[in-house]
Every structure is written in C-alpha cells, then in structure tokens.
Amino acid sequence: MRTLTLQNSAHRGTTGPQRRSRVLFRDSDILVAVNNQIRIASLQEAKSPRSPRSYKTLHAPQVQFQIEQMVLNADGRLLAVAGTHQVAVVVLPSSSRGGRSPLIECKSIRVAPFYYGAKGSPRIAKLDWHPLGEGNTSLFVLTADALLREFDVTMDAEEPLQTFSFLQKRKKSNTFNMDDSQSTETMSFTFGCSNYDAQGARGTSDWTPLTVYGLLRNGDLYALCPVCPSRIRVDPVFITSLEAYVRGKEALALNDSSLMSTPIPAFNPTSSFSSSTSSTPGMEELDLPSIYDHQRKYIATLTKQLPEEGSQQMATSFTLRKDVSISSVSTVSISSHSNTTGTQLVTLNAPTTIKLELEAQGPFRFQPAPAPSPEPEWDELASDIIYLKLASTDGKRSSAGATAAGTILIAYADGRVDVCLDLVKVEAVWCRPGAPHSSPVTLALETINLNFLSYFRPAPPPQQARPSPSSLQPLLTSAPLHPRFLASNHPVLMRDAVYGDSVYVTHNFGVHAIWLGWMSDVRRALERKDATEDFKSLQDLLDDLLEQDEGLSHVVQLLDTVDPAMRITFPVVGCAVSSDVF
C-alpha cells in the first residue's frame, strides 16, 4: 500500500468550510488535484517492480484556479473541476500512458464565467453529473445562494439549460428580516437516482429518480421534484409506470373525498408506512386535484415522445387498495405485463409545458426528531448529504411497482450523522399563487456520533486500568486542538463503489466508514410486504429499529490524522474507492 500526502495552503478568500474532493479513480488510473494541476498515474503500471513510480500532468489551459472538487462522469471521458468560485470541464485522455513527455495536452472548457468566477459570485457548494443525462454530459452546479443550474458543455458552456432554486422567492418587504445566513446558505445536494447510473431508472415507478435533495447550513432539508435533465435517457417502462402511478393516485383520491384536500405527506402512494398520516395541527391543506393535473400534463409530454411500438408493448396496469393495518395510508400498486429487462433506453426532452416554477418542498420534518447534540455550545452546522437506494437482497434490481425506499444520510461539522429512511416519497409539486407550502416527512432512524469534540477536550488523568478500545473514540491528546480545526471542518460523504450499504466520511481528523447492514433487513421486509401484503412485519421491524439502544450502523475510524505532539491535524482532502482490480 502506498500513501499519497497532499498538503496545500488554504485558498485565500474562502469564507467558511470548503468542500474538498481532490482524488478519484478511473478504472486503473488515479487522478489527484494539486493546486491548479491534475496529475494522473496508472496503478496497473505501479504494480510492476520494473516500472518507474511516476505520474503525468494534464495540461488544461482553462483551469487557472486551485481545484477543490473533481467529479468524473459515468463514461470516464469528462472531468468536472471546481474551485471556490470557478468551474471547468476537462476532456480526459483515453489512457494515462502516452509518450515520454510529462505533460498530456487536454481540451478544457470554462463553464459559465459570467456566473462562476466574476467578482462577488457565490461560492461553489457542489457539482455533480446527473446519472440520467443523455451522453453523460448533464452537469449540475449548486452555489451557496441555493441556485442549482444545469449545463451541457457539448451544447452551451456559457448559459445554463435550466435553473432551479431551493429557496422560494420572497416578496419584497420593508420589515426587518430575521433570517440568518445559515438558513439561506446551501451546502450540498444529492440526486434521488444516484444509485441507478446507466439503468435508466429501471425498476422504479415513483418520482424518486426525478428528485433532488438540497441541504442548508442549518440542517434544513429541501426537495425539488421533478428535476429532469434537458435531455434524459431512461427506461421507457419507468415513464409508463410513472403514468399509471399518478393515475392510480388520482383515482384513489376521487374515490375517497377525504384525500382530495389533505397535506401531501399524508398521501403516500408507494408505501403503506407513514409517520404523518394525520393532519398536523395548524397545517394548511393542499389542493391535490390541481397537483395531479400538473403531474399528468408533465408525464403526458414524456409519454408522447416514446416510440409507439414500445409503448404499446409495455402496457401497465394499476390496482387500488386502502391499507389500514399500519397507518391508513392509501397505496397504488403498479404491475407490468411485459418482461422489461431487455428494453432499450430512450432519449427524451425535458417537458416545458408547465410554466410554473418548482416548489422547494421543505424543510423536511424528521419523525421522531433526532437527538440533540451532546455539546450544545457548538453549533450544529450541516455539511453534506447523500441518498442511497436500498439494494436488493438477491443482487437484482426490483421490478417496476415494488415498494421503493432509500436512505438519506446528513453529516454535520461536529461529527453528527443523521440516518433517515425515505419511505414517504416526495411528489412533483409546482409553485402556485396563494397555495400553502408543503413539508415532507422522513423517518429518522439513528444519530451517529463520530466524536470529533473529543479532540478539543483535555485528556482525562491516567488510570491504572487500561481503557477498552473503541472504534468511535479518537486518540485523546495531552492538550486540546485549537477550535479553528473544527470551525473549518467540512465532512464529506462518499458511497462505496462496490458495496451499496457502505459510506465513507472524510473530514479534518481522518476517515470514518459506516456500514448500514440493517438496510438488507428493511429491503427483505419491503419485498415480503409487496409479495404477501404482510404489513405487520414491516411495522414490527421499523419499531425494533427505532427502539434499539445501541447503534444500528457499524462505524469504524479508518484513518486518524491528528498529531498529538504537535497539537495539529492534517485534513483529508480526498478519498476514493476503486472498483477495478488493476
């Protein structure tokens, strides 16, 4: 095992913690960002004892800024890089070998310099490629002012194709605004389809693949739906299943007048479990018929673009039922009549028929509320969010109509990680004049404490008995670290490239690994519910998970970068997991 150490000075002009992701793999190649350079080396060559331990530098003329983030698209051809305020895309070479020259010339494109890089431009919070974008060229960039923009450098690198906002526009008022910056500064976002990759949302029948979750600095969670790339490549069965899904919900609401005017979280069409089935006191009611009308028009625009032969072969039906065994939640069951495993993906244009802006749904209500911080004197500042889809127990993707569920992880600067179960699905909602605001619900399963604050307390006096080792207890120093290391801490969540139930957290004090082994139990309970309508087993499992005193997830610290003698730490600026055996 070889260790690569990067020690760069902090970027001047940065205010607050900065997201850092400067290391990644592309097959057997490793890419590392150092200042404004991108270095590439072949790990396959490094295995040979005769090959020199060397790297090459990618010459990208448009990258004239210190690189803080790097994101590789699905086919490994385009590399998006971001500094504190700038964004660029680099066309990577097919191989890291090349000739004897230490430089490899690469085409680079500066992205929207008018928005990113101009004087006074907001900080780049995060950038990522949309998994459903045609040609893997749909790049989404989030800035600290809550604006999420889509770019396609193959079409236009100057102007965004679409712009969304996680904060609704507020009417101008002469009154004093009490909102602090933490309630308006966005830190991160995640796609609901992050785990689908090239599957084209296959096996899904709800709005999750078209949902984007946004995280504010104060920990508030918002959702935008539907967020569709300007050119989306999906499985046509997903579109037909989604159409039947919406028709089934609307039919249920028409048959039950009590569902026609109710808070959206109470109407959960994909799951029989919900933590908010009754109306919240003082919460205004939403007009579901107009919401369904917008959803039908949106899906109709997508359906008209499907090939006629394919759409006829993929006829989809739905059955309606009311489940009262758990929480009286109405559900829609989607069943496909055809074998969809061999269907070809199709390319569709994002609908533009609805001229209304998307509603930023939130902030989410966590039920039960997460445990308060054990150290109230430290602010709970959120830093990153990630969405994981529950993996199938047999390794196969579930068929269309199976109850979909996912896991949402939220990381905080003080070492807290909230683990939530996404059972109450987000709906497609547009802003309507005078309409009340919706606040979705998520099930808070667990709060993990990575115990960063132990680095800032004096070590206890020595004891005769040897203390028992703990995976969550960092090395206690003889003197506490300076608070600046916590103030600049920006934990980053990263999914494992091989195992869908493993997540890594990189931060100023090292690297932690979180194994969500309970995800397989929830998945089996959901599959059993879909097959036998055994809702009690699912409810019992969720009750058991919520009542456990010990942690559900297994956490271990893989790397500790704190130097006790020097009273300093070496922040981790990049972490990558290779899925290639070289």
Side-chain angles (χ1 to χ4, degrees), residues 50-324:
R50 297 182 179 180
S51 63
R53 302 294 194 270
S54 62
Y55 61 85
K56 294 182 181 297
T57 301
L58 304 182
H59 182 234
Q62 295 298 325
V63 182
Q64 299 296 329
F65 50 86
Q66 177 167 310
I67 300 173
E68 302 290 355
Q69 305 178 50
M70 296 194 306
V71 184
L72 188 68
N73 75 337
D75 57 20
R77 298 179 181 179
L78 299 179
L79 178 69
V81 297
T84 306
H85 300 280
Q86 304 88 355
V87 179
V89 173
V90 180
V91 181
L92 295 179
S94 57
S95 174
S96 62
R97 297 179 181 179
R100 295 183 178 181
S101 173
L103 293 179
I104 300 179
E105 295 293 334
C106 295
K107 180 180 179 181
S108 57
I109 305 171
R110 182 74 182 274
V111 177
F114 177 78
Y115 299 97
Y116 311 126
K119 185 177 181 180
S121 60
R123 174 181 54 84
I124 304 296
K126 183 182 178 180
L127 72 166
D128 201 359
W129 301 93
H130 201 293
L132 302 181
E134 163 66 15
N136 303 308
T137 58
S138 177
L139 178 65
F140 280 74
V141 182
L142 175 68
T143 46
D145 59 354
L147 291 181
L148 180 67
R149 298 182 176 94
E150 180 199 5
F151 296 91
D152 189 338
V153 295
T154 63
M155 300 174 60
D156 186 0
E158 298 289 335
E159 291 294 329
L161 300 177
Q162 299 182 92
T163 301
F164 309 93
S165 177
F166 283 107
L167 295 177
Q168 300 297 339
K169 295 181 179 179
R170 301 176 181 178
K171 296 182 180 180
K172 294 183 179 180
S173 175
N174 295 327
T175 59
F176 181 73
N177 187 3
M178 294 295 294
D179 292 341
D180 61 351
S181 60
Q182 296 180 8
S183 63
T184 58
E185 181 184 3
T186 45
M187 300 299 295
S188 182
F189 74 95
T190 184
F191 298 116
C193 58
S194 298
N195 287 40
Y196 294 96
D197 296 332
Q199 298 294 329
R202 183 167 294 159
T204 310
S205 60
D206 55 49
W207 292 97
T208 303
L210 302 181
T211 302
V212 178
Y213 299 88
L215 180 67
L216 300 189
R217 187 163 174 77
N218 65 351
D220 286 347
L221 176 62
Y222 285 82
L224 293 171
C225 181
V227 175
C228 178
S230 57
R231 287 182 59 80
I232 184 173
R233 187 164 179 80
V234 294
D235 186 347
V237 178
F238 165 66
I239 304 300
T240 56
S241 298
L242 185 59
E243 180 185 20
Y245 172 85
V246 174
R247 285 190 287 116
K249 293 189 307 174
E250 188 174 19
L252 268 178
L254 292 174
N255 293 334
D256 190 341
S257 59
S258 64
L259 297 175
M260 293 304 294
S261 183
T262 181
I264 276 190
F267 189 76
N268 177 15
T270 58
S271 169
S272 61
F273 176 83
S274 174
S275 56
S276 61
T277 56
S278 59
S279 298
T280 303
M283 184 177 182
E284 298 184 59
E285 296 179 341
L286 300 176
D287 183 17
L288 290 182
S290 62
I291 294 177
Y292 295 149
D293 181 61
H294 289 150
Q295 292 181 1
R296 281 189 286 101
K297 291 180 180 179
Y298 186 89
I299 299 175
T301 305
L302 295 173
T303 305
K304 291 178 182 178
Q305 302 179 53
L306 295 177
E308 295 184 1
E309 297 180 358
S311 60
Q312 293 177 357
Q313 295 175 358
M314 294 177 298
T316 308
S317 68
F318 60 89
T319 59
L320 310 179
R321 67 176 184 268
K322 289 203 67 175
D323 303 319
V324 296

Side-chain angles (χ1 to χ4, degrees), residues 7 14 43 59 120 123 151 210 215 242 294 341 348 362 368 387 412 447 467 470 474 530 546 551 571 582:
Q7 299 183 24
T14 301
L43 296 182
H59 182 234
R123 174 181 54 84
F151 296 91
L210 302 181
L215 180 67
L242 185 59
H294 289 150
T341 56
L348 310 174
Y387 188 95
Y412 294 79
T447 296
S470 174
D530 291 329
L546 291 172
F582 312 143

Side-chain angles (χ1 to χ4, degrees), residues 513-582:
I514 303 176
W515 178 55
L516 309 170
W518 50 266
M519 290 175 61
S520 59
D521 297 331
V522 176
R523 178 69 194 189
R524 281 191 292 267
L526 291 172
E527 292 174 345
R528 187 162 52 249
K529 179 190 74 67
D530 291 329
T532 64
E533 299 189 10
D534 181 12
F535 303 107
K536 189 176 185 302
S537 62
L538 175 60
Q539 179 69 75
D540 292 341
L541 174 60
L542 295 176
D543 291 341
D544 292 341
L545 293 177
L546 291 172
E547 293 175 359
Q548 285 190 20
D549 295 332
E550 299 181 357
L552 301 176
S553 307
H554 180 66
V555 185
V556 62
Q557 185 167 7
L558 302 179
L559 177 65
D560 190 334
T561 59
V562 174
D563 187 337
M566 299 294 295
R567 297 179 57 190
I568 61 174
T569 183
F570 301 92
V572 175
V573 298
C575 178
V577 178
S578 175
S579 59
D580 195 291
V581 295
F582 312 143

